[in-house]
Amino acid sequence: MAFRAVMSRRGTNRSSDIGARWMSTWWGNVEPAAKDPILGVTEAFLADPSPSKVNVGVGAYRDDNGKPVVLECVREAERRIAGHSNMEYLPMGGSVKMVEETLKLAYGENSEFIKDKRIAAVQSLSGTGACRLFADFQKRFRPDSQIYIPVPTWANHHNIWRDAQVPQRTFHYYLPETRGLDFASLMDDIKNAPNGSFFLLHACAHNPTGVDPTEEQWREMSYQFKAKGHFAFFDMAYQGFASGDPERDAKSIRIFLEDGHLIGIAQSYAKNMGLYGQRVGCLSVLCEDEKQAVAVKSQLQQLARPMYSNPPLHGALIVSTILGDPELKNLWLKEVKVMADRIIGMRTALRENLEKLGSPLSWEHITNQIGMFCYSGLTPEQVDRLTSEFHIYLTRNGRISMAGITTGNVGYLANAINEVSKSA
Amino acid sequence: MSTSTKALNRLGWWDRVSPASKDPITGVTEAFLADTNPHKINLGVGAYRDDEGKPVVLQCVRNAEAKIAGCDFINVGRESNATAVGSKLVEESVKLAYGKDANVVKEGTLAGLQALSGTGACRLFAEFQRRFHPESPIYFPDPTWPNHPNIWRDAQVPVRTFQYYHPVSKGLNFAALMDDIKNAPDASFFLLHPCAHNPTGVDPTAEQWREISYQFKVKSHFPFFDVAYQGFASGDLDMDAQAIRIFLEDGHLIGCAQSFAKNMGLYGHRVGCLSVLCADAKQAVAVKSQLQQIARAMYSNPPIHGLLLVSTILSDPETKALWVKEVKVMANRIQQMRSTLRESLEKLASPLNWEHITKQVGMFCFSGLTADQVDRLVREFHIYLTRDGRMSMAGVTTSNVSYLANAIHEVTRYN
């Protein structure tokens, strides 16, 4: 009791206490982090009262009414799960069933690598989580290595490898003049990189450009990778979403596998199953044999444990329910094709509209590019005009999210693009 | 293919990768699952079980599930709805820990972020600590949850310990604890378990917390609370947050990792909250933005399903009241099992003192069994627990408590 008396005499006046000086300076050196540019676009769009406003900055699929979509196969899976399953921890490596089905998508239904148990694979927090686990793994077991990242790439790639403390290099990818692939420079960069370098490749539907190598070009890259002993890490965020056919979208990976590369893959269900918020994906590393795969998997789990212990349950249940049921899986494949087709349809419509308007520029790239995004080639100034004069919102690099285009707004959009670019 | 190309291909990317050592806790569950003996008991992982040894999904959770089923934005991540849900979760979470009328909640000086359960909240904080106090170590109680040092090590923060558990009394080594607080360099970072210490179940009294808080002020130490078992210690959420409230009254700018894994039974959904109390609202905005930046490069956004469940439960008074009841039921069952186990051992005329079983609090009992005795329990009786002697009381039921008491008695009677 005496202690309490002492305490109350001292009171709790912050400024009179020794510690107060320290307390206010714990985080005195913390500056606000730079704002995410994409978020800024969305905020500005939401704040705009104009009835004709269009958001082509959004990175998530929208239907032809501009509404987010929950796939029917997902709804059905949710109905089956709700009220039935318990909520226990998944193993550190995640849902075995979900991982099994996910590997089949990337490596092939009857992949020998799956049969031979040569793939170290863990459930991850969508594509981001898969990339981060791999980056940490790379840092731990190849501490002298760097990662080569295409220019441009998804902004968060840089954050991920930087936070994993893996030094970054870039390689040429996009050619602004053609709005296509700078293949010659890309090949040069592959040849000039030190032997045994780590490369990050977008398996399909490159983000943000929509520019993919052709099958022939992938084969050349694969060959050169072999000559140089490079490591290929594929970020596959859009399988199914690019062409509408998951098998076709995995072609680059299959080429590398045929050529004997021991690759790594980050897979995500955010877009192709519309499971954005559920954070469900998979990291896999192809190993020399089963023993190595067991060791690698255990180390990936060891990296996950101090990050989040085990991955989230709900998304994994949805995925394994869908992929484990042939009917639901077929429904999913149909729905993915619908999404991909709508995007392809909008690409065609936008290009045709621009050509009908007699635009002096070439808009071929709109239909040459593939997936969610189109690198329009518009300058930042032109983008600013689109926003200020036409209430059209996109990031200043000229990246258009095709998902934001509908039959209802494509004419308006084409007109606006034409207006800001015709005298360029 | 030329030989040089072949050689390059045999670079052996992952030749240096050896199998990681087994996790001490999940390894126990694995061994348990593989055992076919009908009497087997799992006292390993700290997940609640009912009196039939079955996992439990709380009724309030089932109610919340039904409410959110068919939600339009249920799957969408970085949309304004998800942000709103996340904010709601943080708002409600911090009220639980800090008190619903706490000034800090009203004043906007809290930087709060949803996190991947307790682990994720700790990791975000550890990364943040290294980023803004690069040379600072963290002090853990000895012992602590084995994943704590992993988390701070992977964040590259040096790890230290302070004395906590007294093996002889099987209680708190308070004098040594206070010494270590005094002897640590000024302004050191400390991790504290505010209730139901894991793995020992040994908690300071309110009086002792006040002394600790006072000494923390004198030394300007930073208190980081890992709140994994709020509700599980006494059955009363506010009482279990008493340590935090004491520190708040004393003006500390604390940090808090909260988990809904145990007290809401949402283990697999990975839902929790990290909060850092700042000097003012401006600082809170800056701190939150940095925490979001750290999270972005790890997993972008947290999984939405768990967030929806928790915010639905906490923002509806009826569902929340139901939850509070259900937490009490769980805590009571555990307390009951503690009493029964102790009584059974005393009835068996065990030569040892088993007071600590009922003195210790929360999910775990630090039995005092040696590693050899634990091995015997596993081998001879098919009873699974970690080799430090930590027993998860949640695994004890009215039907297995006698068998358990008997087994413990067998392995300890001649020591």
Side-chain angles (χ1 to χ4, degrees), chain B residues 141-146 164-166 169-173 193-205 208-209 229 232-234 240 334-335 338 355-368 386 388-393:
Chain B
D142 179 16
T144 193
W145 182 45
Y164 190 83
Y165 179 70
H166 204 312
S169 67
K170 296 188 184 47
L172 186 65
N173 190 348
H193 302 224
C195 67
H197 179 271
N198 178 3
T200 68
V202 169
D203 290 342
T205 61
Q208 289 171 328
W209 276 121
Y229 294 97
F232 256 100
S234 66
D240 286 354
I334 298 213
Q335 278 161 8
R338 286 183 179 276
E355 263 186 359
H356 55 286
I357 296 182
T358 47
K359 272 203 171 133
Q360 292 166 2
V361 171
M363 189 90 81
F364 302 110
C365 164
F366 224 40
S367 61
T386 44
D388 56 3
R390 182 193 87 161
M391 296 190 310
S392 170
M393 296 309 294

Side-chain angles (χ1 to χ4, degrees), chain A residues 225-238:
Chain A
F225 264 58
K226 284 191 103 179
K228 296 287 296 180
H230 289 331
F231 181 94
F233 184 75
F234 285 94
D235 187 353
M236 183 155 68
Y238 295 97

Side-chain angles (χ1 to χ4, degrees), chain A residues 35 49 58 104 151 154 254 285 295 318 326 356 362 381 387 423:
Chain A
K35 254 190 180 292
V58 69
K104 286 187 203 163
V151 177
W154 179 48
R254 305 294 170 81
V285 178
I318 294 176
K356 275 207 199 93
S362 165
E381 293 71 34
T387 305
S423 43

Side-chain angles (χ1 to χ4, degrees), chain B residues 92-104:
Chain B
E92 295 297 330
S93 293
V94 301
K95 279 191 210 162
L96 276 182
Y98 295 73
K100 70 178 187 332
D101 298 320
N103 285 340
V104 297

Side-chain angles (χ1 to χ4, degrees), chain A residues 17 26 31 62 277 299 309, chain B residues 18 75 79 119 133 217 290:
Chain A
D17 284 324
W26 283 119
E31 296 292 318
R62 294 283 181 272
Q299 293 291 352
S309 282
Chain B
S18 52
N75 290 318
E79 306 292 313
T119 308
H133 286 269
K217 283 192 100 176
Q290 292 291 348

Side-chain angles (χ1 to χ4, degrees), chain A residues 10 17 22 26 31 33 62 75 87-88 128 132 156 163 165 227 277 279 298-299 305 308-309 313, chain B residues 8 18 20 23 49 71 75 79 119 131 133 154 156 214 217 220 268 270 289-290 296-297 299-300 304:
Chain A
R10 282 185 190 271
D17 284 324
W22 282 98
W26 283 119
E31 296 292 318
R62 294 283 181 272
R75 284 287 183 225
M87 301 186 172
E88 296 298 288
T128 308
R132 177 56 180 269
N156 209 21
D163 276 20
Q165 298 179 312
R279 321 307 297 128
S298 74
Q299 293 291 352
R305 174 74 164 139
Y308 48 83
S309 282
L313 176 63
Chain B
L8 282 170
S18 52
D23 182 279
R49 295 284 178 266
C71 254
N75 290 318
E79 306 292 313
T119 308
R131 226 166 255 213
H133 286 269
D154 273 22
Q156 299 176 306
Y214 178 73
K217 283 192 100 176
S220 306
R270 321 312 294 129
S289 73
Q290 292 291 348
R296 177 117 171 93
Y299 50 84
S300 283
I304 194 148

Side-chain angles (χ1 to χ4, degrees), chain A residues 44-78:
Chain A
F45 168 79
L46 289 170
D48 187 330
S50 163
S52 43
K53 65 181 180 179
V54 175
N55 188 358
V56 283
V58 69
Y61 181 77
R62 294 283 181 272
D63 65 12
D64 203 45
N65 295 315
K67 296 275 179 293
V69 170
V70 178
L71 301 185
E72 195 44 53
C73 61
V74 170
R75 284 287 183 225
E76 177 55 30
E78 282 185 322

